[in-house]
Amino acid sequence: MRSRINRLVLAATSTIVVSFVVPLCLLVRTLAEDRAMAAADQEARNVAIIVAGLDSPRQLTDIIGVLDDGVSPSTSVLTADGRQIGPGPAMSGDPDVARALRGEAFREISGGRGRVLLPVVVDGGTAVVRATVDHDALQEGVRRAWAGIIGLGLVLLLAAALAARGLGRRISEPLRDVATTAHQLREGDLAARAEVRGTEETRELARALNGLAERTTELLATERAAVGDLSHRLRTPVTALRLDAEAVSDPALAGRLQEHIGVLQRTVDSIVAEARRPVRRDLSARCDAAEVVAERVNFWSVLAEDQGRALRVVLAEGPLTVGVSAEDLRDVVDVIVDNVFAHTEQGVGFEVSLGLEAAQPDGHDHPTPVDDGELVVLRVADAGPGFAGAPARRPGTSGLGLDLAARVAGGVGGSLVRGRSQAGGALVELRLPHLPD
């Protein structure tokens, strides 16, 4: 917008300046020519008076010699008897001189010179006085005047450019502030507010954006307050189901019911926890994946040791920066590792690896705004039964944990891929764009 305002103001100013400068330059040239021709006309009249009052050609020659000092205009006389007194081209045979001999006084500018011709009636007939102005005299002072006028025009253009720059800044900076606030709101900072300043339209836009942010905050707070009640409303019937399941006399049926109720309880807890997540300001947050994964692996290694599981850990040196908050990445790592404990028998080993790899368009990775085209890849592979053809869910589970993990990865341009490990078990790969430090 600022550049458009500058171009508009400069175009309008240039048009106005040119509209005045060109006619003014032409006027200056015309005035210079008129001044030179007026001087020639005055000198021609003075000589004509002398010619009419003198009877001696010798005296006239002396006077013309005095006038001819090499400075324009130069004057010459054609006497009644055909003699030419003074410098310049021959007057005899000149059509303009013949025109003056017929009694016509005139002046003209042609061929870069100006001439004034006056007929003088004397006793012996008609004499003609000719005053000639050269090109330099006609253009005397014109270049200096033109330079001054053009310089003034350029100064006006410069002043207009500075004024346009200030005007553009006054209009565009408040709009940029509003746009910055909008980007902050998009990234999750609902506390961001635009400063109400600038033109009336910009102030109205800022007020509207601030009102939208206030309304969004209110709606989210209301929604999360309502969702917060779900945990209390759902826990009561689930607890009742658990009590009823305990009263079932058939142990096998009771075990299956307890398992299903446990899955239901975990599902409800996951949904409520996700829904009650507060409005965050860290949607564009970063964390060191190497540090977070190392922390969580250390946590799960205790349980793995208790269950007799062989745990192999291969972690690349950090920092491996990803565009996920540390809290979210911890949750995702816990979900993936917990998936091993929940769906394999005790004693089944697994491997956790973390490294940096080049992004490959294999149909799984989503396009990412990564400058270096690299991905931070977390792999969790076990030696259990696997996904049995990679189904989305297994019997007795909801599969919700991995779905939530995939949602977190997809939110930052990454992906979560399920497959088969080299040991024949399940393989889960979390791929997140690597961000420059």
Side-chain angles (χ1 to χ4, degrees):
M1 174 179 287
R2 183 182 301 180
S3 61
R4 292 184 179 180
I5 293 176
N6 292 340
R7 289 196 296 268
L8 178 62
V9 172
L10 287 178
T13 305
S14 301
T15 302
I16 295 174
V17 169
V18 170
S19 299
F20 280 96
V21 166
V22 173
L24 190 58
C25 289
L26 296 177
L27 177 61
V28 166
R29 187 180 66 179
T30 301
L31 290 176
E33 292 176 350
D34 290 344
R35 181 191 62 217
M37 294 301 292
D41 184 76
Q42 183 63 42
E43 184 166 323
R45 290 182 184 279
N46 293 336
V47 173
I49 293 174
I50 294 173
V51 170
L54 288 178
D55 294 332
S56 171
R58 183 177 181 84
Q59 292 179 338
L60 182 60
T61 302
D62 294 339
I63 293 173
I64 296 297
V66 172
L67 292 175
D68 186 19
D69 55 359
V71 179
S72 184
S74 62
T75 306
S76 57
V77 177
L78 182 65
T79 61
D81 57 1
R83 290 179 53 200
Q84 179 175 341
I85 302 174
M91 300 179 66
S92 300
D94 189 335
D96 292 335
V97 175
R99 178 180 169 187
L101 288 174
R102 291 195 293 270
E104 182 179 355
F106 62 94
R107 63 182 182 177
E108 65 174 3
I109 298 176
S110 63
R113 296 185 305 168
R115 298 196 300 177
V116 177
L117 289 97
L118 293 177
V120 182
V121 179
V122 295
D123 293 339
T126 301
V128 177
V129 178
R130 183 184 67 187
T132 304
V133 182
D134 59 19
H135 180 269
D136 292 339
L138 288 174
Q139 301 297 322
E140 183 179 1
V142 172
R143 288 189 175 87
R144 291 193 300 273
W146 281 7
I149 294 172
I150 294 174
L152 179 60
L154 293 177
V155 170
L156 292 176
L157 287 177
L158 178 60
L162 295 176
R165 184 177 180 180
L167 178 62
R169 185 183 298 110
R170 181 182 176 185
I171 294 176
S172 63
E173 285 187 354
L175 285 176
R176 288 182 181 273
D177 291 343
V178 173
T180 300
T181 303
H183 288 307
Q184 292 173 344
L185 292 173
R186 182 195 63 185
E187 293 172 357
D189 184 5
L190 295 183
R193 295 294 182 270
E195 182 180 356
V196 180
R197 66 187 182 96
T199 63
E200 180 59 33
E201 293 79 4
T202 305
R203 292 197 297 269
E204 180 62 26
L205 178 61
R207 285 191 290 265
L209 181 62
N210 292 340
L212 177 61
E214 294 287 349
R215 183 58 176 165
T216 302
T217 303
E218 293 174 1
L219 291 175
L220 285 175
T222 302
E223 177 188 354
R224 299 200 182 277
V227 172
D229 295 336
L230 287 177
S231 59
H232 302 290
R233 297 181 182 180
L234 293 176
R235 290 182 193 278
T236 299
V238 171
T239 302
L241 286 175
R242 188 183 299 277
L243 294 176
D244 291 341
E246 292 176 353
V248 176
S249 58
D250 186 351
L253 178 58
R256 289 197 302 272
L257 289 176
Q258 289 292 345
E259 182 182 358
H260 294 321
I261 293 172
V263 173
L264 176 60
Q265 183 68 60
R266 290 194 299 271
T267 302
V268 170
D269 290 342
S270 298
I271 294 175
V272 172
E274 180 67 21
R276 295 185 65 182
R277 185 186 297 271
V279 178
R280 297 168 298 174
R281 300 181 182 179
D282 60 353
L283 294 181
S284 59
R286 300 182 176 193
C287 73
D288 182 4
E291 179 181 352
V292 173
V293 173
E295 173 196 343
R296 300 319 298 164
V297 169
N298 184 60
F299 171 82
W300 288 100
S301 63
V302 178
L303 181 58
E305 184 178 354
D306 290 342
Q307 295 187 2
R309 297 177 182 268
L311 173 58
R312 183 171 181 266
V313 180
V314 181
L315 302 182
E317 294 184 0
L320 299 178
T321 307
V322 294
V324 181
S325 68
E327 177 187 354
D328 283 347
L329 187 56
R330 289 190 190 98
D331 293 342
V332 171
V333 174
D334 287 344
V335 165
I336 297 176
V337 176
D338 180 65
N339 190 66
V340 176
F341 286 88
H343 304 300
T344 62
E345 299 293 336
Q346 293 189 18
V348 175
F350 65 99
E351 176 183 341
V352 178
S353 63
L354 179 72
L356 191 63
E357 300 179 4
Q360 298 293 333
D362 57 359
H364 298 293
D365 296 334
H366 300 285
T368 61
V370 184
D371 294 337
D372 55 9
E374 292 181 319
L375 296 175
V376 175
V377 180
L378 170 66
R379 290 188 177 90
V380 178
D382 61 54
F387 288 105
R393 293 182 175 87
R394 299 180 186 178
T397 65
S398 65
L400 183 62
L402 292 181
D403 289 341
L404 294 178
R407 187 189 310 168
V408 172
V412 295
S415 62
L416 187 138
V417 180
R418 293 174 251 198
R420 188 176 184 85
S421 68
Q422 292 182 352
L427 170 65
V428 178
E429 291 186 359
L430 177 67
R431 306 176 181 181
L432 299 176
H434 177 236
L435 302 181
D437 296 331

